[in-house]
Amino acid sequence: MTYPKRLKAGDVIGLVATSSPVEEERAKQSKAVLEQLGFKVKAADNLFASKGGYMAGEEELRGRWLNDMFADDEVDAIFCLRGGDGANRILDYLDLDVIRKNPKIFVGYSDVTSLHLLFNQECGLVTYHGPMVSSNMVDDFDQESKTAFFEALTAEDAYTYKAPEGFPIGVAREGKASGILVGGNLTVMCASVGTPCEIDTKGKILFIEEIGEHIGNLDRHIYQLRNAGLLKDAAGILLGQFTRCNVDVEGYDIVQVMLEATKGLDIPIMYNIQSGHGAPMITIPMGGTCVMDTEKGEITFPVEMV
């Protein structure tokens, strides 16, 4: 796996809308907040475009902008404007050779999960499950999220997940595990099953987060992964934020669902990892080696620069 070069002050950020758009004024605010953080910005021209009311223009356009940002020698890193819907539509329009030859920081989450899977599995590129510009930086880029964001994107030797105040790491099943971190949004990764971009969990640490789902739907998705053989292959599991999800019904919660779905498997499980649709939103490297140790309560990511 290839770690992209570290982020530094004054870098040029390629701002892209791979899924849904924002209003024109919001796009201006997003560009401005990056400039206030000390970056230069090259913005795609589809940030406030619309197709069907929920996608930032035609898939060919969204794919072309992502290709162009990777190919552009002036662009140092690529930040997603927001998630939403439709990123899986652009997969056929991405030039994987261009992306492989031009490894760059790529940050996003939610619907962007389909792009993390593609870039990690097909391009060997470490990407970042972290804050998006409109979604997390414009209104309230809280200090813990901001600190973790810059620590992850500038780490030289190792990056350690630091539990935010009031959000201790939970242990559902004890153990130690090491492997490449894969996953992201539960709904999106389940949509990859049966496709050429199906999530590969063999020997890997599986990270899961979600938003706005009832525990019954979460249960259905988790058992889809189980029935597809994707849980038994994992080396370990990290449960992230389940924002605005009804995850505790009469004392039966998401942790219990996961324990039952992995019954009989020697897979350590840690939960309450603050990465996903909530705040603070802690950045974690997808495709990077992850070491989880329930006894020490630690999650670390050795950084191997290429």
Side-chain angles (χ1 to χ4, degrees), residues 69-148:
M69 291 299 188
F70 272 102
D72 190 336
D73 290 338
E74 292 185 353
V75 173
D76 299 294
I78 302 168
F79 293 177
C80 291
L81 181 71
R82 60 163 297 185
D85 300 285
N88 62 332
R89 285 189 175 215
I90 74 173
L91 302 183
D92 287 343
Y93 296 94
L94 297 178
D95 189 329
L96 300 187
D97 285 336
V98 166
I99 295 167
R100 292 186 190 102
K101 293 174 182 177
N102 298 278
K104 296 179 181 182
I105 288 171
F106 177 79
V107 188
Y109 66 97
S110 190
D111 194 52
V112 178
T113 294
S114 59
L115 299 175
H116 286 306
L117 293 178
L118 182 69
F119 297 161
N120 296 162
Q121 296 179 179
E122 297 298 326
C123 300
L125 176 64
V126 175
T127 57
Y128 295 88
H129 187 273
M132 295 185 288
V133 185
S134 176
S135 304
N136 305 93
M137 299 183 186
V138 172
D139 297 321
D140 181 19
F141 199 14
D142 66 88
Q143 191 57 53
E144 286 181 301
S145 298
K146 184 185 295 185
T147 297

Side-chain angles (χ1 to χ4, degrees), residues 2-13 39 75-79 103-107 125-126 128 149-159 301-306:
T2 301
Y3 263 90
K5 69 176 184 179
R6 304 174 188 89
L7 188 70
K8 63 182 185 301
D11 273 352
V12 175
I13 307 300
F39 301 112
V75 173
D76 299 294
I78 302 168
F79 293 177
K104 296 179 181 182
I105 288 171
F106 177 79
V107 188
L125 176 64
V126 175
Y128 295 88
F149 179 74
F150 285 107
E151 285 184 354
L153 271 57
T154 60
E156 294 188 5
D157 300 314
Y159 169 66
F301 302 89
V303 176
E304 300 173 358
M305 300 300 295
V306 176

